[in-house]
Amino acid sequence: MTDSIEGKTLNVLILAEDFYPKESGGAFIDWNVAKHLSECGESVTVITPRNDDTPSVEHIKGVEIRRPFRSHGPDTHPNSPLGLFWRVLFTIALVPYLFYFGRQRDFDVIYSTNHLFHFPAALVSAVFRLAHVSFVGYSPSIRPNASITDPLVIIERLNFCFFMGDIALCQTPAVSALLYRLSNAEVNRVDGIVDSTAVHTAVESELGRESPLSRKGDIELVFVGRLVEIKDPTSVIELVDSLPSKYSLTIVGDGPHQSRVEAAMQEVGVCDRVQIAGRLPHKETLRVIYESDLLLLSSKTESYGAVVFEALSLNTPVLATPVGVLPTIDHPLLTTAELSTFENVLPTIDLETNDGIDEETLNRFSVDRFTQDVRSHLISTVER
């Protein structure tokens, strides 16, 4: 354990809409932040919604997890009108709970990680005179069809103008620019999202075993992601059709546009060169990326693109659209280009790479780096 501020343990309150035992990107990052703080000797309390499978209070790896109320059900999309209604209702109920809870505990700093939680965090931090650090991951404002009349965009802009606290953290230049323009908080961009343990496990534990990848050509491309409009999966089918027969494609993921993808495969006649593996466990997905020759990212927008940094850590070249943070990343295996030029750019990419894991890249984009930076910002905010 390490000391925080002149030997004082930091008492941290984390407000997270998605958290353990969920395994989504946001939940994974927030869980790792909480674990890291606890491992460093800090006192960590997380407040998050409850569902049918989670207890109201739980202690895991030194982290106290409190789930006072339910939010939207598992069958309700969080951004649907009904989902938003329940999420807003949860936030309203959370405010008096935080006032009550704040009088019971002597917190030093609040860390809020979701748009609906920045307001109660700012309110409680003002009343109890606590430091407040916020994090913005996903942003509805960076979507191609984002409208100022969208309720999610309205909530985000209100947050940016009034509720971001002392320090606002983010991972993409577009969000950083919005925060600089609208917020009074100190804005800092932080890197890191890759699960180092999962990367090592995927590569080392599967060596010598049957590969989860069934190659169909000399050059195997891979697409990893939800089959939804914003990921533009049908475009990679059209790309395969325009490439020589030595190129084949594996699609890892499922979603509402799977039927469109399958129809596109039939229409252009590439069923013998494209396979849909469906949704795979994370370790198997990483292994497929590792054994592929190149990862394709065709998204219309992205926040941070975790799969890209996983591929780079696995020494797999990437061809991606210039979305999110990717145009600012200088890496020899990353090529960004407009989707319309993929057909011409792809054959120019050197696919001969080293075996094993690129430890330098893994350290650069590891979630461990993110957690260390968050802790540093929490400490610096309290020290002010």
Side-chain angles (χ1 to χ4, degrees):
M1 297 195 305
T2 61
D3 293 335
S4 295
I5 305 173
E6 298 180 354
K8 178 182 180 297
T9 296
L10 200 65
N11 200 349
V12 184
L13 174 62
I14 299 178
L15 305 184
E17 192 171 12
D18 296 305
F19 199 71
Y20 176 92
K22 290 184 179 179
E23 298 179 346
S24 62
F28 167 75
I29 290 177
D30 291 345
W31 169 235
N32 275 271
V33 168
K35 283 195 304 179
H36 175 70
L37 290 170
S38 178
E39 290 165 358
C40 290
E42 320 298 4
S43 176
V44 185
T45 303
V46 179
I47 296 180
T48 189
R50 188 170 77 241
N51 60 42
D52 293 336
D53 300 321
T54 53
S56 57
V57 180
E58 189 173 13
H59 293 81
I60 301 179
K61 295 187 180 296
V63 178
E64 179 183 359
I65 308 172
R66 304 184 72 90
R67 306 180 180 96
F69 318 109
R70 299 177 187 274
S71 185
H72 62 88
D75 298 328
T76 303
H77 193 284
N79 292 334
S80 68
L82 183 59
L84 275 175
F85 170 78
W86 283 110
R87 291 169 66 200
V88 170
L89 196 63
F90 176 91
T91 304
I92 293 172
L94 183 63
V95 172
Y97 177 84
L98 288 175
F99 280 131
Y100 170 80
F101 193 59
R103 287 196 294 267
Q104 313 302 313
R105 302 286 184 92
D106 186 21
F107 290 108
D108 299 303
V109 59
I110 298 179
Y111 178 52
S112 58
T113 66
N114 300 91
H115 290 305
L116 287 174
F117 285 7
H118 299 317
F119 163 68
L123 194 60
V124 171
S125 68
V127 170
F128 292 100
R129 297 184 179 182
L130 306 177
H132 177 201
V133 176
S134 58
F135 171 69
V136 180
Y138 169 76
S139 169
S141 294
I142 65 175
R143 295 178 303 183
N145 59 345
S147 169
I148 194 62
T149 61
D150 185 331
L152 294 176
V153 175
I154 293 172
I155 291 172
E156 180 183 68
R157 296 302 172 88
L158 288 172
N159 278 323
F160 286 0
C161 290
F162 303 110
F163 307 125
M164 299 314 296
D166 303 289
I167 293 180
L169 307 178
C170 62
Q171 291 193 304
T172 61
V175 174
S176 179
L178 277 172
L179 286 168
Y180 272 118
R181 180 164 61 88
L182 299 175
S183 173
N184 292 323
E186 175 188 316
V187 180
N188 291 278
R189 203 184 70 75
V190 289
D191 280 311
I193 196 170
V194 179
D195 185 342
S196 301
T197 301
V199 168
H200 281 282
T201 300
V203 173
E204 296 165 3
S205 67
E206 294 293 334
L207 291 178
R209 300 185 183 180
E210 183 178 353
S211 170
L213 178 66
S214 176
R215 300 183 70 95
K216 287 179 173 287
D218 294 333
I219 300 177
E220 187 70 30
L221 311 176
V222 63
F223 170 97
V224 177
R226 286 274 291 160
L227 303 184
V228 293
E229 182 178 358
I230 203 167
K231 301 290 186 179
D232 202 2
T234 55
S235 66
V236 297
I237 303 299
E238 297 166 0
L239 174 65
V240 171
D241 181 47
S242 68
L243 295 171
S245 59
K246 65 180 179 180
Y247 289 91
S248 59
L249 171 69
T250 296
I251 296 176
V252 179
D254 57 15
H257 280 208
Q258 181 164 334
S259 59
R260 294 189 186 182
V261 173
E262 293 170 345
M265 292 166 55
Q266 293 280 353
E267 182 178 346
V268 300
V270 293
C271 293
D272 59 331
R273 296 166 57 195
V274 178
Q275 59 181 327
I276 301 178
R279 186 176 181 180
L280 298 177
H282 189 211
K283 186 176 71 171
E284 289 187 26
T285 299
L286 291 172
R287 186 67 191 184
V288 170
I289 295 172
Y290 178 65
E291 295 186 349
S292 298
D293 297 298
L294 181 136
L295 174 83
L296 292 170
L297 185 112
S298 55
S299 300
K300 298 176 182 178
T301 186
E302 282 281 349
S303 55
Y304 198 67
V307 67
V308 169
F309 301 111
E310 289 173 335
L312 297 178
S313 299
L314 292 165
N315 273 312
T316 299
V318 177
L319 175 58
T321 47
V323 292
V325 73
L326 299 183
T328 70
I329 301 299
D330 182 17
H331 193 283
L333 298 185
L334 173 62
T335 303
T336 59
E338 296 298 333
L339 187 58
S340 59
T341 67
F342 272 24
E343 177 185 354
N344 298 323
V345 173
L346 181 53
T348 69
I349 297 175
D350 184 6
L351 302 180
E352 295 296 325
T353 60
N354 296 327
D355 292 331
I357 297 168
D358 183 341
E359 294 290 350
E360 182 179 349
T361 297
L362 182 58
N363 291 334
R364 179 182 174 188
F365 297 110
S366 166
V367 72
D368 297 333
R369 175 178 176 178
F370 180 91
T371 62
Q372 292 162 10
D373 286 346
V374 169
R375 179 172 180 263
S376 296
H377 286 299
L378 293 174
I379 292 173
S380 67
T381 308
V382 173
E383 286 179 331
R384 294 181 179 183

